[in-house]
Amino acid sequence: MEQLLAQIEQLKKEIAESAVTDAPSLEAFRIRFLGTKGIVKNLMGEMKNVANEKKREFGQIMNEFKQFAESHFEQWKEQLEAGSAAAGPSIDNTLPGDNLPLGSRHPISLMRNHIISIFQRLGFAVAEGPEIEDDFHNFTALNLPEHHPARDMQDTFYIQQNPDWLLRTHTSNIQIREMEKGELPLRIICPGRVYRNETISARSHCFFHQVEGLYIDENVSFADLKQTLYYFVQEMYGKDVKVRFRPSYFPFTEPSAEMDISCQICGGSGCAICKKTGWLEILGCGMVHPNVLQNCGIDPNKYTGFAFGMGIERPALLKYGITDIRLFSENDVRFLRQFTAAT
Ligand code: DAH
């Protein structure tokens, strides 16, 4: 008993002398003294070892000790609450803020947005489609049936789960999906990522980006196609740009053409970028093939339309003077950061 009393005295002294000034030490105090395995509980448990005639006295002393610890706890708690209310949140509003690093638009996004905004001014709406596509929407509906030799140029990645699924090779799948909806006239611009099974080098990658355009209505003609694309390149490259159309072949258009613009690097006199021709090829286009319209449930005797498709990487390389296409997908922030100013 004597020993216990001395211990209690010692503990009281310790409590009286301690200063609890923050929430963690208040909680530590509570656990140590008042918790379910705390000192007060433990000392109470000593009651059974105290001689019977002393039990009453020990009980009183213990009660007093418990109250002593509790009242200190309450007092510190109140002080802390009052203190934190008075001090307000512990932030110094006068300090200068941390600079939040601002991201920048990816050069491909910049170029895509630029292209879209030009066509939006002509009334084209943005449409998107799936990157994992079925054979019908990527090939067959576009007049590229199985075993068609033009499929060779667009080998891609197939999905093991289902041999009919593949990573789309062009954004032309969106044409089909939009035409299938049956809402005409249709005037859309379709940006997206596309895939090809190609060896990766500075000039080609197994994925890249395209923008597709489609206009279906009554009486749409090749003249509309030319005028629309001419407007586009003038907005994009300036009023002095020259264009030329070369006959070409795409299974989904008839007639088909490729459009070149006068080389933006040498102005048309011939350089390494335009391979001394003075011209740069920028897109494929043509009048939508009647079979394609029919595949989508559109009457080719009533409706006609034009379509075009262009890559985004190549004009971005030209615009920003980038020499390796792989830089676009390496995610090196030193490369990406350079485009902040252009946003
Ligand atoms: N899909 C073609 C390609 O990836 C590009 C293209 C050409 C799209 C002509 C068109 C078009 O809509 O009319 O090479």
Side-chain angles (χ1 to χ4, degrees), residues 265-281:
I265 307 292
C266 63
S269 57
C271 67
I273 302 286
C274 61
K275 299 199 188 101
K276 304 247 183 275
T277 63
W279 296 96
L280 294 168
E281 180 203 320

Side-chain angles (χ1 to χ4, degrees), residues 67-97:
Q67 274 165 18
F68 185 81
E70 279 174 352
S71 70
H72 273 79
F73 174 79
E74 288 303 327
Q75 198 183 329
W76 285 323
K77 194 174 160 202
E78 266 169 41
Q79 276 170 3
L80 277 179
E81 280 168 1
S84 63
S90 55
I91 301 170
D92 181 349
N93 291 328
T94 63
L95 285 175

Side-chain angles (χ1 to χ4, degrees), residues 184-199:
L184 296 176
L186 190 58
R187 195 157 44 188
I188 49 169
I189 190 90
C190 322
R193 181 183 285 213
V194 302
Y195 302 81
R196 304 259 171 108
N197 182 8
E198 293 201 7
T199 312

Side-chain angles (χ1 to χ4, degrees), residues 154 170 172 175 196 210 212 250 252-253 284-286 307-309:
Q154 301 197 3
H170 48 188
S172 305
Q175 286 190 20
R196 304 259 171 108
Q210 287 187 336
E212 186 88 7
F250 300 103
F252 31 91
T253 44
C285 58
F308 56 88

Side-chain angles (χ1 to χ4, degrees), residues 32-293:
R32 178 158 172 244
F33 283 91
L34 305 167
T36 44
K37 288 181 184 155
I39 290 172
V40 171
K41 258 274 168 44
N42 276 345
L43 285 173
M44 291 285 196
E46 292 293 330
M47 182 70 92
K48 59 182 183 299
N49 303 325
V50 172
N52 274 346
E53 65 277 15
K54 297 271 187 186
K55 276 197 192 322
R56 202 178 135 91
E57 188 192 344
F58 182 70
Q60 264 172 7
I61 291 171
M62 270 314 296
N63 270 341
E64 205 186 295
F65 176 58
K66 188 177 173 213
Q67 274 165 18
F68 185 81
E70 279 174 352
S71 70
H72 273 79
F73 174 79
E74 288 303 327
Q75 198 183 329
W76 285 323
K77 194 174 160 202
E78 266 169 41
Q79 276 170 3
L80 277 179
E81 280 168 1
S84 63
S90 55
I91 301 170
D92 181 349
N93 291 328
T94 63
L95 285 175
D98 289 338
N99 276 335
L100 286 178
L102 273 190
S104 57
R105 292 244 183 262
H106 192 282
I108 294 294
S109 303
L110 291 171
M111 183 51 75
R112 182 197 56 203
N113 294 350
H114 190 186
I115 296 171
I116 289 174
S117 72
I118 296 173
F119 283 102
Q120 275 178 332
R121 273 176 254 151
L122 290 174
F124 282 73
V126 175
E128 287 181 311
E131 287 178 29
I132 299 177
E133 189 51 285
D134 54 45
D135 183 284
F136 178 76
H137 291 90
N138 193 81
F139 290 127
T140 307
L142 284 155
N143 209 24
L144 263 152
E146 214 180 332
H147 306 305
H148 192 292
R151 281 196 182 200
D152 276 0
M153 293 186 307
Q154 301 197 3
D155 188 22
T156 183
F157 304 95
Y158 288 81
I159 312 288
Q160 252 173 2
Q161 263 170 304
N162 185 337
D164 196 44
W165 292 345
L166 47 89
L167 297 187
R168 69 175 174 198
T169 58
H170 48 188
T171 42
S172 305
N173 67 326
I174 309 174
Q175 286 190 20
I176 303 300
R177 290 194 171 270
E178 289 297 313
M179 283 194 277
E180 279 177 337
K181 292 182 184 165
E183 290 161 24
L184 296 176
L186 190 58
R187 195 157 44 188
I188 49 169
I189 190 90
C190 322
R193 181 183 285 213
V194 302
Y195 302 81
R196 304 259 171 108
N197 182 8
E198 293 201 7
T199 312
I200 299 168
S201 72
R203 293 174 60 87
S204 71
H205 212 307
C206 59
F207 65 85
F208 54 99
H209 298 78
Q210 287 187 336
V211 176
E212 186 88 7
L214 178 71
Y215 180 28
I216 310 277
D217 202 347
E218 292 179 38
N219 301 319
V220 176
S221 73
F222 203 90
D224 298 315
L225 165 64
K226 284 180 87 171
Q227 190 53 43
T228 303
L229 293 178
Y230 191 49
Y231 172 82
F232 164 67
V233 291
Q234 283 200 323
E235 291 293 299
M236 185 86 180
Y237 296 103
K239 298 286 174 217
D240 295 334
V241 69
K242 292 192 189 64
V243 298
R244 73 174 184 187
F245 288 81
R246 283 178 293 107
S248 185
Y249 171 76
F250 300 103
F252 31 91
T253 44
E254 182 59 38
S256 305
E258 267 165 85
M259 190 175 89
D260 299 343
I261 56 168
S262 46
C263 179
Q264 296 301 292
I265 307 292
C266 63
S269 57
C271 67
I273 302 286
C274 61
K275 299 199 188 101
K276 304 247 183 275
T277 63
W279 296 96
L280 294 168
E281 180 203 320
I282 63 160
L283 56 80
C285 58
M287 300 306 291
V288 178
H289 197 291
N291 287 355
V292 175
L293 295 174

